[in-house]
Amino acid sequence: MASYKEEMQKFWALYHEAGHSGPSTAKDVAAWAYDQGLWRPRTSDVIDVLAEDLARAWREEYGTDKCGRRYRKKHPVRVTENGQTRFEWDEMDTAPRPHMELAFAQRRQQIVGDCVQLKVDVDVYNDKNPEQEPIQPVFDFTNDIEEELLEEEAA
């Protein structure tokens, strides 16, 4: 019996055997496979898509505090148990402090990870272009944060 991934891989050949030629998008092949009855969403697929949509919506939900500051209302914490990772969400107004401490720490780690990758990318660029003045990234964001906050206050 073919695996789910192998079934997905067969759709390309079937699509082209059906008379479609040339470059194709995954969306084109997916629509064709669905229309032909070759694929139907599994319950887990539907739940995964809905969960992604929920997380995206929650990430973009903001409130305004009594001082007029716009803040993100819901925060996730990444939890790994038995080799499985999940994200547990809670709302800032009601979340227990340990949840928020971990959410903020994990978010900070994401920022650090982005900065590390930026440093590597800049170093590689500088090494590939030794005839140019090296680009020097600044990783002290103190002034940037103060400027953004001032702009928000002025708005």
Side-chain angles (χ1 to χ4, degrees):
M1 180 173 212
S3 72
Y4 183 73
K5 188 184 298 181
E6 290 168 336
E7 289 294 322
M8 299 290 102
Q9 292 166 345
K10 287 180 186 176
F11 290 168
W12 179 264
L14 294 171
Y15 180 76
H16 286 277
E17 287 171 14
H20 304 277
S21 61
S24 304
T25 67
K27 202 170 212 173
D28 292 337
V29 177
W32 174 84
Y34 185 83
D35 289 344
Q36 299 300 307
L38 298 173
W39 183 87
R40 289 292 178 250
R42 302 170 293 181
T43 301
S44 62
D45 297 328
V46 174
I47 291 170
D48 288 346
V49 168
L50 177 57
E52 293 275 331
D53 290 347
L54 287 169
R56 191 175 305 110
W58 293 341
R59 236 181 258 109
E60 297 173 10
E61 185 177 0
Y62 288 86
T64 304
D65 76 351
K66 63 184 178 187
C67 298
R69 296 176 294 196
R70 189 170 179 261
Y71 68 98
R72 204 163 107 192
K73 291 178 84 168
K74 293 179 177 60
H75 295 264
V77 167
R78 184 180 60 255
V79 177
T80 303
E81 287 179 352
N82 303 320
Q84 298 290 316
T85 300
R86 68 180 186 277
F87 291 89
E88 295 179 352
W89 289 80
D90 210 338
E91 192 151 349
M92 186 188 293
D93 294 341
T94 57
R97 183 180 175 99
H99 178 90
M100 294 308 300
E101 287 174 337
L102 188 53
F104 294 149
Q106 288 177 350
R107 198 149 141 221
R108 186 178 189 282
Q109 272 311 119
Q110 289 174 333
I111 293 166
V112 169
D114 286 344
C115 289
V116 168
Q117 189 61 60
L118 174 59
K119 170 88 171 95
V120 169
D121 294 346
V122 169
D123 289 348
V124 169
Y125 177 83
N126 287 339
D127 289 348
K128 288 179 179 249
N129 298 279
E131 72 286 352
Q132 297 178 12
E133 179 76 22
I135 296 172
Q136 301 292 332
V138 177
F139 293 102
D140 178 353
F141 297 103
T142 304
N143 291 338
D144 302 270
I145 292 169
E146 288 175 11
E147 286 175 19
E148 286 287 328
L149 290 173
L150 287 173
E151 286 180 23
E152 284 183 20
E153 286 177 18

